Amino acid sequence: MTPVSAREVKALLRRHGVIAKKGYGQNFLVDGRVLEVIVRAVAPDARTVVLEVGPGLGALTSALAERAKRVVAIEKDASLRPVLDEVLSKHGNVEIVYDDCLKVDLRALMAPRMAQGERLVFAANLPYYVTTPILFQVLESELPVSRAVVMVQREVADRMVAEPGGKDYGVLSVGVQYRGRVRRVANVPPSAFLPQPGVESAVVEIDCEMRPAVRAADEAVFFRVVRAAFGTRRKTLENALAAGLGEPKEAVRQKVMAAGIDPGTRAERLSLADFVRLADEFAK
């Protein structure tokens, strides 16, 4: 039985003597309509391999396994093993890795689990306190992810889809938009979870096959430059970069100007293309 309703989830937790751990940010999905929204966004088929982080009680894992070729899920809380063993017992195409996602080499994990012609999708109901680190771990890895579908805090979703010039535009906005077309799929109320979180959530999709045409010459430099630029939002771009990258201000000024950008502007005014040009100057 796949636990979807609040009643089913409560019964499952009682049966195994499991409680939701606040320290792990565990809020279990109990709304079948939201579950289906996520599955439709993932759009798994017979050639899809899903990398899932935080399977929890296995509701989404089970739904994905019914349509995907394979699901590899990383779960930090090993006490959920008996629950997942029960919920996923009918699925022979699911592998659970009990580990901390942030300590796992995702590329090394998935390389032997992928075959030529298969499509990799990342799916996760991300704990709010580690959302950004996990997203960047995936974004900065060399995984051939074709799509990412994540449940995040609504404020995080606002940042992911934000455009230049707004207060929500920042490192996360630039990072995810560099990887693909980002869209908010749905807003999700607290009542969709057990226990209910104190904030609203949202499902966000990053379509990496619709990636912008701009490419950085060195992606590691690109991400370092973006982080440094937003490191102190009140500073001008040249001051923020000098502080964040540890380079002399005059050298930074020359590189910013060479990218065709005003050194006195602020990071939130720069477009994705601006950041790519800027990073390319620092990569030289």
Side-chain angles (χ1 to χ4, degrees):
M1 178 189 73
T2 302
V4 176
S5 71
R7 178 180 58 81
E8 292 167 339
V9 166
K10 288 178 181 177
L12 182 66
L13 293 174
R14 281 197 304 270
R15 190 155 61 249
H16 292 281
V18 173
I19 60 172
K21 296 180 177 64
K22 187 175 182 179
Y24 282 179
Q26 291 176 341
N27 301 98
F28 304 120
L29 188 62
V30 292
D31 190 321
R33 294 168 299 181
V34 175
L35 182 67
E36 186 56 33
V37 165
I38 299 172
V39 174
R40 283 201 306 269
V42 172
D45 59 23
R47 68 183 185 91
T48 301
V49 176
V50 179
L51 170 61
E52 182 186 10
V53 169
L57 304 183
L60 177 59
T61 315
S62 179
L64 293 171
E66 290 176 357
R67 309 182 197 186
K69 182 172 184 178
R70 187 180 307 110
V71 179
V72 180
I74 303 173
E75 175 53 61
K76 184 176 182 179
D77 186 2
S79 72
L80 294 179
R81 186 189 297 268
V83 176
L84 290 169
D85 285 347
E86 175 187 332
V87 173
L88 303 173
S89 60
K90 65 179 180 179
H91 299 295
N93 60 340
V94 175
E95 178 184 359
I96 306 294
V97 177
Y98 291 95
D99 206 338
D100 183 344
C101 173
L102 293 174
K103 298 179 180 178
V104 174
D105 183 333
L106 298 181
R107 188 166 177 239
L109 173 71
M110 296 307 299
R113 294 168 172 81
M114 294 283 298
Q116 187 173 3
E118 293 179 342
R119 164 180 171 265
L120 180 62
V121 176
F122 175 72
N125 177 9
L126 293 173
Y128 298 147
Y129 71 102
V130 289
T131 295
T132 299
I134 290 177
L135 275 176
F136 270 96
Q137 182 189 24
V138 175
L139 293 172
E140 295 184 61
S141 73
E142 296 181 8
L143 285 173
V145 175
S146 66
R147 180 175 298 181
V149 179
V150 293
M151 176 93 73
V152 297
Q153 186 174 337
R154 187 168 179 176
E155 291 179 359
V156 174
D158 292 341
R159 286 158 45 201
M160 291 173 72
V161 302
E163 296 182 354
K167 64 179 179 62
D168 292 322
Y169 187 70
V171 175
L172 187 59
S173 318
V174 177
V176 297
Q177 291 170 29
Y178 177 76
R179 285 299 184 208
R181 183 187 66 189
V182 185
R183 72 180 184 98
R184 189 194 308 262
V185 177
N187 291 323
V188 182
S191 59
F193 301 93
L194 183 75
Q196 292 189 21
V199 296
E200 292 191 346
S201 304
V203 179
V204 179
E205 173 197 290
I206 307 168
D207 186 343
C208 303
E209 294 179 346
M210 297 293 289
R211 186 173 177 174
V214 292
R215 294 285 191 279
D218 186 322
E219 292 190 350
V221 172
F222 170 79
F223 283 106
R224 282 203 303 272
V225 166
V226 172
R227 285 192 176 96
F230 285 104
T232 46
R233 293 183 71 103
R234 293 186 179 182
K235 288 187 176 181
T236 62
L237 186 61
E238 66 173 329
N239 287 336
L241 290 173
L245 299 175
E247 295 195 18
K249 188 182 296 185
E250 184 56 35
V252 168
R253 169 182 283 268
Q254 293 302 320
K255 291 176 182 179
V256 174
M257 292 176 65
I261 299 168
D262 177 5
T265 193
R266 286 178 168 75
E268 59 264 28
R269 297 293 176 185
L270 272 57
S271 68
L272 177 59
D274 291 334
F275 275 111
V276 169
R277 291 200 316 277
L278 184 61
D280 286 352
E281 288 299 323
F282 280 90
K284 289 179 180 177

